[in-house]
Amino acid sequence: VEPGRYVRPGGEDARAGERVLEAGRLVTSGVIGLAAATGHVQVFVHRRPAVTLVATGDELREPDRYDDVVLGRGIPESNTPMLAAMVRDAGGMVSGATIARDDEQDLGQQIDEAGDADVLVTIGGASLGEADLVKRVLDDRGFKQDFWRVGMRPGSPFSYGFLRRGSRNQPIFGLPVNPASAFVTFELFVRPFLLRLAGHTRCFRPSVACVATEPLRGPQNLAAYLRVSLDR
């Protein structure tokens, strides 16, 4: 038998005094195994951010009313289930997901009931049409807008600000109603925010350098986010 074979020397995994887990790490199965191997019964973690989603629009139809979509009486409400899944993928939890009518009283009630959420995300009502009531209803409640509109496509009519809720400020993201725009703006802005709120130190996706197989064109002076598929 070779000397040292089948022997695990002390200090091979970690030496005395060495830090084995950094704050900001995602608690995976490997992290749990390492914590147990080093005698830790408990680890301190951040609470999952609670997110409330409020979609707006009389024309929205959930799957149980899809007959209206077929008859041309409405459009599918795909944003809320899509964004709810994205919230969970980012480590958050959905504390509410509702559809508000194009009515100031109904929309105001939905916003008021979302006061306990860590983050409020509104979908739609972000443009300048008469029925786009979100900004108006928020302003009536003391909304402090940080910015509105981003130089990008899709997703230009995106907003961010705060609403005072008792002793704290509640962050509010205003997403466009177009599903592609809602997807991209959530990915770029809301997802990193939720990760940072939950204590993560790695909040952005890794980037991959690629060669395009055909010309890619986008609007001038705007950041363009194009739909592609990767072939490795």
Short mmCIF file of all heavy atoms in Angstrom, two decimals, residues 119-159:
data_model
loop_
_atom_site.label_atom_id
_atom_site.label_comp_id
_atom_site.label_asym_id
_atom_site.label_seq_id
_atom_site.Cartn_x
_atom_site.Cartn_y
_atom_site.Cartn_z
N VAL A 119 -40.81 45.54 -1.58
CA VAL A 119 -40.71 46.18 -2.88
C VAL A 119 -42.06 46.08 -3.57
O VAL A 119 -42.72 45.03 -3.52
CB VAL A 119 -39.63 45.51 -3.76
CG1 VAL A 119 -39.60 46.12 -5.16
CG2 VAL A 119 -38.25 45.62 -3.11
N LEU A 120 -42.48 47.16 -4.22
CA LEU A 120 -43.71 47.16 -5.02
C LEU A 120 -43.32 47.30 -6.49
O LEU A 120 -42.52 48.17 -6.85
CB LEU A 120 -44.63 48.31 -4.61
CG LEU A 120 -45.86 48.57 -5.50
CD1 LEU A 120 -46.77 47.36 -5.52
CD2 LEU A 120 -46.61 49.82 -5.02
N VAL A 121 -43.87 46.42 -7.32
CA VAL A 121 -43.63 46.48 -8.76
C VAL A 121 -44.97 46.68 -9.45
O VAL A 121 -45.87 45.84 -9.32
CB VAL A 121 -42.95 45.19 -9.27
CG1 VAL A 121 -42.81 45.24 -10.80
CG2 VAL A 121 -41.60 45.00 -8.62
N THR A 122 -45.11 47.78 -10.16
CA THR A 122 -46.30 48.00 -10.97
C THR A 122 -45.99 47.68 -12.41
O THR A 122 -44.86 47.88 -12.88
CB THR A 122 -46.80 49.46 -10.85
OG1 THR A 122 -45.82 50.35 -11.39
CG2 THR A 122 -47.06 49.82 -9.40
N ILE A 123 -46.99 47.17 -13.12
CA ILE A 123 -46.82 46.80 -14.52
C ILE A 123 -47.88 47.51 -15.33
O ILE A 123 -49.08 47.31 -15.11
CB ILE A 123 -46.92 45.27 -14.74
CG1 ILE A 123 -46.01 44.52 -13.78
CG2 ILE A 123 -46.59 44.91 -16.17
CD1 ILE A 123 -46.74 43.68 -12.76
N GLY A 124 -47.44 48.36 -16.27
CA GLY A 124 -48.38 49.10 -17.07
C GLY A 124 -48.67 50.46 -16.47
O GLY A 124 -48.23 50.80 -15.37
N GLY A 125 -49.42 51.26 -17.23
CA GLY A 125 -49.74 52.60 -16.76
C GLY A 125 -48.53 53.49 -16.68
O GLY A 125 -48.51 54.46 -15.91
N ALA A 126 -47.48 53.18 -17.46
CA ALA A 126 -46.21 53.91 -17.35
C ALA A 126 -46.02 54.91 -18.47
O ALA A 126 -45.01 55.59 -18.50
CB ALA A 126 -45.05 52.91 -17.34
N SER A 127 -46.96 55.00 -19.41
CA SER A 127 -46.81 55.94 -20.52
C SER A 127 -47.60 57.22 -20.25
O SER A 127 -47.87 57.55 -19.10
CB SER A 127 -47.27 55.26 -21.81
OG SER A 127 -46.46 54.14 -22.10
N LEU A 128 -48.00 57.89 -21.29
CA LEU A 128 -48.62 59.21 -21.11
C LEU A 128 -50.08 59.24 -21.55
O LEU A 128 -50.64 60.32 -21.73
CB LEU A 128 -47.82 60.27 -21.89
CG LEU A 128 -46.35 60.44 -21.45
CD1 LEU A 128 -45.66 61.44 -22.36
CD2 LEU A 128 -46.27 60.89 -20.01
N GLY A 129 -50.71 58.08 -21.71
CA GLY A 129 -52.10 58.06 -22.12
C GLY A 129 -53.05 58.43 -21.00
O GLY A 129 -52.69 58.43 -19.82
N GLU A 130 -54.29 58.73 -21.34
CA GLU A 130 -55.26 59.14 -20.33
C GLU A 130 -55.51 58.05 -19.29
O GLU A 130 -55.80 58.33 -18.13
CB GLU A 130 -56.58 59.51 -21.01
CG GLU A 130 -56.51 60.79 -21.83
CD GLU A 130 -57.86 61.15 -22.40
OE1 GLU A 130 -58.83 60.43 -22.11
OE2 GLU A 130 -57.96 62.15 -23.13
N ALA A 131 -55.42 56.78 -19.71
CA ALA A 131 -55.71 55.69 -18.80
C ALA A 131 -54.49 55.24 -17.99
O ALA A 131 -54.60 54.33 -17.19
CB ALA A 131 -56.27 54.49 -19.57
N ASP A 132 -53.35 55.89 -18.21
CA ASP A 132 -52.13 55.52 -17.49
C ASP A 132 -52.11 56.25 -16.16
O ASP A 132 -51.57 57.35 -16.03
CB ASP A 132 -50.89 55.84 -18.32
CG ASP A 132 -50.85 55.02 -19.60
OD1 ASP A 132 -51.28 53.85 -19.54
OD2 ASP A 132 -50.41 55.53 -20.64
N LEU A 133 -52.69 55.61 -15.16
CA LEU A 133 -53.00 56.29 -13.90
C LEU A 133 -51.96 56.08 -12.82
O LEU A 133 -52.06 56.71 -11.76
CB LEU A 133 -54.36 55.77 -13.38
CG LEU A 133 -55.55 55.85 -14.32
CD1 LEU A 133 -56.77 55.20 -13.67
CD2 LEU A 133 -55.85 57.29 -14.66
N VAL A 134 -50.99 55.21 -13.02
CA VAL A 134 -50.11 54.81 -11.93
C VAL A 134 -49.42 56.00 -11.31
O VAL A 134 -49.44 56.21 -10.08
CB VAL A 134 -49.09 53.77 -12.41
CG1 VAL A 134 -48.09 53.45 -11.31
CG2 VAL A 134 -49.80 52.49 -12.84
N LYS A 135 -48.76 56.82 -12.13
CA LYS A 135 -48.02 57.97 -11.61
C LYS A 135 -48.94 58.93 -10.87
O LYS A 135 -48.61 59.46 -9.80
CB LYS A 135 -47.32 58.69 -12.77
CG LYS A 135 -46.53 59.93 -12.38
CD LYS A 135 -45.29 59.59 -11.57
CE LYS A 135 -44.30 60.77 -11.56
NZ LYS A 135 -44.85 62.04 -11.14
N ARG A 136 -50.12 59.16 -11.41
CA ARG A 136 -51.07 60.08 -10.77
C ARG A 136 -51.48 59.58 -9.40
O ARG A 136 -51.50 60.34 -8.42
CB ARG A 136 -52.29 60.25 -11.67
CG ARG A 136 -53.24 61.36 -11.26
CD ARG A 136 -54.48 61.33 -12.13
NE ARG A 136 -54.16 61.14 -13.55
CZ ARG A 136 -55.06 60.82 -14.46
NH1 ARG A 136 -56.33 60.63 -14.10
NH2 ARG A 136 -54.71 60.66 -15.72
N VAL A 137 -51.81 58.29 -9.31
CA VAL A 137 -52.25 57.72 -8.03
C VAL A 137 -51.10 57.72 -7.02
O VAL A 137 -51.28 58.01 -5.84
CB VAL A 137 -52.80 56.30 -8.24
CG1 VAL A 137 -53.08 55.62 -6.91
CG2 VAL A 137 -54.07 56.34 -9.09
N LEU A 138 -49.90 57.40 -7.48
CA LEU A 138 -48.75 57.41 -6.58
C LEU A 138 -48.45 58.83 -6.09
O LEU A 138 -48.12 59.05 -4.91
CB LEU A 138 -47.53 56.83 -7.29
CG LEU A 138 -47.52 55.31 -7.50
CD1 LEU A 138 -46.33 54.90 -8.36
CD2 LEU A 138 -47.49 54.56 -6.18
N ASP A 139 -48.52 59.80 -7.00
CA ASP A 139 -48.25 61.19 -6.61
C ASP A 139 -49.20 61.66 -5.52
O ASP A 139 -48.81 62.42 -4.62
CB ASP A 139 -48.35 62.11 -7.83
CG ASP A 139 -47.15 62.00 -8.75
OD1 ASP A 139 -46.11 61.45 -8.31
OD2 ASP A 139 -47.24 62.45 -9.91
N ASP A 140 -50.46 61.22 -5.59
CA ASP A 140 -51.44 61.59 -4.57
C ASP A 140 -51.04 61.06 -3.20
O ASP A 140 -51.51 61.57 -2.17
CB ASP A 140 -52.82 61.05 -4.94
CG ASP A 140 -53.43 61.77 -6.13
OD1 ASP A 140 -52.96 62.88 -6.46
OD2 ASP A 140 -54.35 61.22 -6.75
N ARG A 141 -50.16 60.06 -3.17
CA ARG A 141 -49.74 59.46 -1.90
C ARG A 141 -48.32 59.87 -1.51
O ARG A 141 -47.72 59.28 -0.62
CB ARG A 141 -49.84 57.93 -2.01
CG ARG A 141 -51.28 57.45 -1.97
CD ARG A 141 -51.48 56.10 -2.61
NE ARG A 141 -52.84 55.62 -2.39
CZ ARG A 141 -53.91 56.07 -3.05
NH1 ARG A 141 -53.76 57.00 -3.95
NH2 ARG A 141 -55.11 55.59 -2.79
N GLY A 142 -47.78 60.88 -2.19
CA GLY A 142 -46.48 61.41 -1.81
C GLY A 142 -45.29 60.71 -2.46
O GLY A 142 -44.19 60.69 -1.90
N PHE A 143 -45.49 60.15 -3.64
CA PHE A 143 -44.44 59.42 -4.33
C PHE A 143 -43.27 60.34 -4.67
O PHE A 143 -43.45 61.44 -5.17
CB PHE A 143 -45.02 58.81 -5.62
CG PHE A 143 -44.05 58.02 -6.44
CD1 PHE A 143 -43.39 56.92 -5.91
CD2 PHE A 143 -43.80 58.37 -7.76
CE1 PHE A 143 -42.51 56.18 -6.68
CE2 PHE A 143 -42.92 57.64 -8.55
CZ PHE A 143 -42.27 56.54 -8.00
N LYS A 144 -42.05 59.88 -4.40
CA LYS A 144 -40.82 60.59 -4.75
C LYS A 144 -40.15 59.85 -5.90
O LYS A 144 -39.51 58.82 -5.69
CB LYS A 144 -39.88 60.67 -3.54
CG LYS A 144 -40.47 61.34 -2.32
CD LYS A 144 -40.82 62.80 -2.59
CE LYS A 144 -41.36 63.48 -1.33
NZ LYS A 144 -41.77 64.88 -1.58
N GLN A 145 -40.30 60.37 -7.10
CA GLN A 145 -39.75 59.70 -8.28
C GLN A 145 -38.27 60.01 -8.43
O GLN A 145 -37.86 61.17 -8.39
CB GLN A 145 -40.50 60.14 -9.53
CG GLN A 145 -40.02 59.45 -10.81
CD GLN A 145 -40.96 59.69 -11.96
OE1 GLN A 145 -41.96 59.00 -12.15
NE2 GLN A 145 -40.65 60.71 -12.75
N ASP A 146 -37.47 58.96 -8.58
CA ASP A 146 -36.04 59.12 -8.78
C ASP A 146 -35.74 59.36 -10.26
O ASP A 146 -34.99 60.26 -10.61
CB ASP A 146 -35.31 57.87 -8.26
CG ASP A 146 -33.81 58.10 -8.15
OD1 ASP A 146 -33.37 59.22 -8.43
OD2 ASP A 146 -33.10 57.16 -7.79
N PHE A 147 -36.31 58.53 -11.13
CA PHE A 147 -36.14 58.76 -12.55
C PHE A 147 -37.26 58.09 -13.32
O PHE A 147 -37.93 57.18 -12.82
CB PHE A 147 -34.77 58.27 -13.06
CG PHE A 147 -34.57 56.78 -12.98
CD1 PHE A 147 -34.99 55.93 -14.00
CD2 PHE A 147 -33.95 56.22 -11.87
CE1 PHE A 147 -34.80 54.56 -13.93
CE2 PHE A 147 -33.75 54.84 -11.79
CZ PHE A 147 -34.18 54.02 -12.81
N TRP A 148 -37.46 58.53 -14.54
CA TRP A 148 -38.46 57.95 -15.45
C TRP A 148 -37.90 57.99 -16.86
O TRP A 148 -37.32 58.99 -17.27
CB TRP A 148 -39.77 58.73 -15.40
CG TRP A 148 -40.82 58.17 -16.31
CD1 TRP A 148 -41.49 56.99 -16.15
CD2 TRP A 148 -41.34 58.76 -17.51
NE1 TRP A 148 -42.38 56.80 -17.19
CE2 TRP A 148 -42.31 57.87 -18.03
CE3 TRP A 148 -41.07 59.94 -18.19
CZ2 TRP A 148 -43.02 58.15 -19.20
CZ3 TRP A 148 -41.77 60.22 -19.35
CH2 TRP A 148 -42.73 59.33 -19.85
N ARG A 149 -38.01 56.91 -17.56
CA ARG A 149 -37.50 56.67 -18.90
C ARG A 149 -36.01 56.33 -18.86
O ARG A 149 -35.23 56.96 -18.16
CB ARG A 149 -37.74 57.85 -19.85
CG ARG A 149 -39.17 57.92 -20.35
CD ARG A 149 -39.23 58.72 -21.65
NE ARG A 149 -40.58 58.71 -22.22
CZ ARG A 149 -41.07 57.72 -22.94
NH1 ARG A 149 -40.35 56.65 -23.15
NH2 ARG A 149 -42.29 57.79 -23.42
N VAL A 150 -35.66 55.31 -19.63
CA VAL A 150 -34.29 54.84 -19.75
C VAL A 150 -33.96 54.77 -21.23
O VAL A 150 -34.81 54.40 -22.05
CB VAL A 150 -34.12 53.45 -19.09
CG1 VAL A 150 -32.67 52.99 -19.17
CG2 VAL A 150 -34.58 53.49 -17.64
N GLY A 151 -32.72 55.10 -21.60
CA GLY A 151 -32.31 55.07 -23.00
C GLY A 151 -32.05 53.66 -23.48
O GLY A 151 -30.89 53.28 -23.71
N MET A 152 -33.09 52.89 -23.62
CA MET A 152 -32.96 51.49 -24.02
C MET A 152 -34.20 51.07 -24.79
O MET A 152 -35.24 51.72 -24.74
CB MET A 152 -32.78 50.58 -22.80
CG MET A 152 -33.92 50.67 -21.80
SD MET A 152 -33.68 49.67 -20.32
CE MET A 152 -33.98 48.03 -20.99
N ARG A 153 -34.07 49.94 -25.46
CA ARG A 153 -35.22 49.35 -26.15
C ARG A 153 -35.02 47.84 -26.22
O ARG A 153 -33.96 47.39 -26.63
CB ARG A 153 -35.36 49.92 -27.56
CG ARG A 153 -36.61 49.44 -28.29
CD ARG A 153 -36.76 50.13 -29.62
NE ARG A 153 -37.02 51.57 -29.45
CZ ARG A 153 -37.07 52.44 -30.46
NH1 ARG A 153 -36.85 52.02 -31.69
NH2 ARG A 153 -37.30 53.71 -30.23
N PRO A 154 -36.00 47.06 -25.79
CA PRO A 154 -37.29 47.48 -25.25
C PRO A 154 -37.17 47.93 -23.80
O PRO A 154 -36.18 47.64 -23.14
CB PRO A 154 -38.14 46.22 -25.36
CG PRO A 154 -37.17 45.11 -25.17
CD PRO A 154 -35.90 45.57 -25.87
N GLY A 155 -38.20 48.64 -23.33
CA GLY A 155 -38.25 48.97 -21.91
C GLY A 155 -38.04 50.42 -21.56
O GLY A 155 -37.79 50.75 -20.41
N SER A 156 -38.15 51.33 -22.53
CA SER A 156 -37.87 52.74 -22.26
C SER A 156 -38.75 53.35 -21.16
O SER A 156 -38.23 54.02 -20.26
CB SER A 156 -38.02 53.55 -23.55
OG SER A 156 -37.90 54.92 -23.29
N PRO A 157 -40.08 53.16 -21.16
CA PRO A 157 -40.91 53.81 -20.13
C PRO A 157 -40.85 53.08 -18.78
O PRO A 157 -41.82 52.50 -18.30
CB PRO A 157 -42.31 53.77 -20.73
CG PRO A 157 -42.30 52.57 -21.61
CD PRO A 157 -40.90 52.47 -22.17
N PHE A 158 -39.68 53.12 -18.17
CA PHE A 158 -39.44 52.46 -16.89
C PHE A 158 -39.22 53.54 -15.83
O PHE A 158 -38.58 54.56 -16.10
CB PHE A 158 -38.21 51.56 -17.01
CG PHE A 158 -37.75 50.96 -15.70
CD1 PHE A 158 -38.27 49.77 -15.25
CD2 PHE A 158 -36.78 51.60 -14.94
CE1 PHE A 158 -37.85 49.22 -14.05
CE2 PHE A 158 -36.35 51.06 -13.74
CZ PHE A 158 -36.87 49.87 -13.29
N SER A 159 -39.74 53.33 -14.63
CA SER A 159 -39.59 54.34 -13.58
C SER A 159 -39.16 53.69 -12.27
O SER A 159 -39.32 52.48 -12.06
CB SER A 159 -40.90 55.10 -13.37
OG SER A 159 -41.90 54.25 -12.85
#
